[in-house]
Amino acid sequence: MSTIYMIDFILKELKAEASPVNKLRKLLRTTGIEDVIEKGDYVAVKMHLGSRGGFRIIRPPFVREVVEEVKSLGAYPFITDTCRPPSLEYLEIANIEGINPLSVGAPVIIADGLRGNDFRTVSVNGEVIKEIEVASAIAEADSMIVLTHVKGHRMTGFGGAIKNVGMGCVSKKGKRRVHEKLGGEPPMWIEEKCDKCKACVKTCDHGAISMIGGVIEIDTEKCVKCYRCVWICPNRALVWSPIGIDRFIKALIEATAAVLSTFERNKVMFLNFVCDVTFACDCPPWSTNPIIPDRGILASRDIVAIDKASLDLIDKCEGIPGQIGPGKIRSIPKGISKFLEIHGIDPYLQVKYAEDLGLGNSKYELYKL
Ligand code: SF4
Ligand code: SF4
């Protein structure tokens, strides 16, 4: 059984000490930051730095509190992520999102170098991958605090701490290695979700998709598995094949194991921000309104338990009218797996595979501070 601590975003008293920002250092201490970080450590504070047009990443005041706490232990924090745009563009985006040395009090660096090619190849005895390219600054850090804005994700159902580590801590080549595992199978059509708009037919450059008598047909000989039709479909009526998704999620978990193996035992801590929970991730050049009310911040030393607890919180919560696709607003009632409903991909698969691989425990006890 693992332990999760939580700061609730519903304030019992309206005073400064009750603010989640002001309670964050207590959360870190209760979760045992003093056992994770030693004096002199170089501490990677891993977070998503956003995208131009997006606006829902973790807010600077929280990051600042983490930095101050790490510094108070005599360690050297740096805020980091890996290249999606090349590093100079990405640092400018971080600046626009409010994450820079002045605001958070620590250097902001891109962990896999100027153009995403700075990595250490790490072996992993996985079912799908045998090695992965971990960003150098992550591999060389002494300890890590993983700050995760939890949200939905088109290809994994859910983006939590596991995704932040397995995809967010590997270099460009590592990301490609994991994404490649999606391929090999043509997309699948879900008839009941299709409104026959034919956007997929128009977008396919290979003439591989057609609509005959209201039925989508994919010519498997012509299909090059580029998945443009999946991305373009406004109704999620075209999805990646379950075989590809399964392989992709397993590769993601194996990459997560490889990244964590670069740290000594108990040198990583996880904070999941269950607020601004949107249906999609922070990579697109837009953000949408959330699907549940803001719940709070969870902290744990167990990556599996914290993602499971975050998903449970989201699913037990009554949904609010939130955006779930282009022009689509819906409230998803409590008790329904919200990301399975939206993306058609079981978000708990990540938790299951990570637990199977020994990365943590899905059973947890949650204590509110
Ligand atoms: S884009 Fe989606 S909804 Fe439109 S026809 Fe194709 S499968 Fe159906
Ligand atoms: S995956 Fe690419 S090639 Fe295949 S049907 Fe869709 S758009 Fe066409």
Side-chain angles (χ1 to χ4, degrees):
M1 184 82 73
S2 290
T3 307
I4 312 269
Y5 296 99
M6 176 179 178
I7 300 172
D8 203 312
F9 270 21
I10 297 173
L11 277 56
K12 290 209 174 95
E13 293 175 287
L14 300 180
K15 57 182 189 181
E17 304 88 84
S19 161
V21 172
N22 295 331
K23 287 170 86 174
L24 195 63
R25 290 177 74 169
K26 184 177 175 195
L27 180 69
L28 291 166
R29 287 175 197 164
T30 310
T31 314
I33 193 167
E34 288 179 23
D35 301 328
V36 173
I37 289 166
E38 289 166 62
K39 189 173 178 191
D41 273 5
Y42 275 21
V43 183
V45 179
K46 167 68 180 78
M47 64 178 288
H48 197 301
L49 297 175
S51 58
R52 205 178 274 263
F55 54 88
R56 292 209 185 264
I57 65 165
I58 295 167
R59 291 169 174 77
F62 293 111
V63 184
R64 178 82 184 210
E65 290 301 308
V66 173
V67 165
E68 295 296 339
E69 183 62 19
V70 171
K71 283 183 175 173
S72 76
L73 296 169
Y76 299 95
F78 61 95
I79 313 303
T80 195
D81 195 8
T82 48
C83 283
R84 283 180 302 103
S87 63
L88 298 183
E89 286 99 311
Y90 200 20
L91 287 172
E92 181 57 12
I93 288 168
N95 214 7
I96 293 166
E97 295 264 19
I99 305 290
N100 58 49
L102 277 181
S103 63
V104 299
V108 182
I109 67 168
I110 301 302
D112 54 346
L114 202 61
R115 296 188 186 277
N117 298 317
D118 186 5
F119 58 80
R120 303 282 180 275
T121 302
V122 176
S123 301
V124 56
N125 189 22
E127 182 186 322
V128 182
I129 59 171
K130 298 295 175 198
E131 60 181 21
I132 193 81
E133 295 75 10
V134 178
S136 293
I138 301 281
E140 291 180 7
D142 300 301
S143 41
M144 178 160 72
I145 301 182
V146 180
L147 307 183
T148 303
H149 164 220
V150 306
K151 63 265 166 188
H153 193 274
R154 189 94 189 250
M155 288 180 283
T156 54
F158 170 64
I162 292 171
K163 174 110 193 345
N164 196 4
V165 171
M167 192 65 78
C169 292
V170 303
S171 72
K172 199 163 67 177
K173 193 171 174 193
K175 288 182 178 66
R176 202 162 46 232
R177 188 186 289 279
V178 176
H179 277 106
E180 273 170 11
K181 306 302 173 196
L182 261 177
E185 314 290 334
M188 231 177 63
W189 182 55
I190 304 171
E191 184 169 10
E192 52 278 16
K193 289 195 171 181
C194 177
D195 67 6
K196 326 280 192 237
C197 71
K198 290 193 179 173
C200 53
V201 178
K202 287 179 206 140
T203 203
C204 181
D205 288 337
H206 304 274
I209 189 161
S210 52
M211 180 171 281
I212 301 165
V215 174
I216 287 288
E217 287 187 4
I218 295 173
D219 184 328
T220 52
E221 294 294 312
K222 289 184 183 167
C223 175
V224 299
K225 291 94 184 174
C226 67
Y227 304 112
R228 274 180 65 180
C229 53
V230 173
W231 286 107
I232 205 101
C233 176
N235 299 317
R236 309 279 189 273
L238 282 166
V239 293
W240 287 275
S241 86
I243 300 168
I245 288 289
D246 198 65
R247 230 176 11 223
F248 174 66
I249 292 177
K250 279 186 177 149
L252 175 71
I253 303 306
E254 289 162 7
T256 305
V259 172
L260 294 178
S261 76
T262 67
F263 293 90
E264 287 173 23
R265 204 173 147 71
N266 288 325
K267 293 292 280 178
V268 185
M269 177 183 274
F270 307 95
L271 263 66
N272 275 10
F273 288 68
V274 189
C275 49
D276 291 314
V277 178
T278 47
F279 85 102
C281 68
D282 291 322
C283 297
W286 39 261
S287 294
T288 55
N289 62 338
I291 60 167
I292 59 162
D294 288 349
R295 294 307 313 266
I297 306 169
L298 307 186
S300 181
R301 311 266 287 274
D302 184 329
I303 193 170
V304 176
I306 199 165
D307 273 5
K308 174 71 163 53
S310 302
L311 279 167
D312 289 346
L313 262 183
I314 292 166
D315 289 345
K316 282 179 193 155
C317 183
E318 194 66 59
I320 55 175
Q323 186 142 8
I324 60 160
K328 287 192 178 151
I329 300 288
R330 201 183 139 196
S331 316
I332 303 178
K334 68 176 165 191
I336 290 186
S337 173
K338 294 184 175 53
F339 296 130
L340 176 61
E341 185 75 6
I342 296 169
H343 296 296
I345 295 169
D346 182 0
Y348 290 92
L349 264 186
Q350 293 176 58
V351 171
K352 180 188 177 312
Y353 290 157
E355 188 170 32
D356 289 349
L357 208 59
L359 297 187
N361 191 341
S362 65
K363 295 193 177 56
Y364 61 87
E365 283 175 329
L366 191 147
Y367 301 94
K368 285 191 182 176
L369 297 189

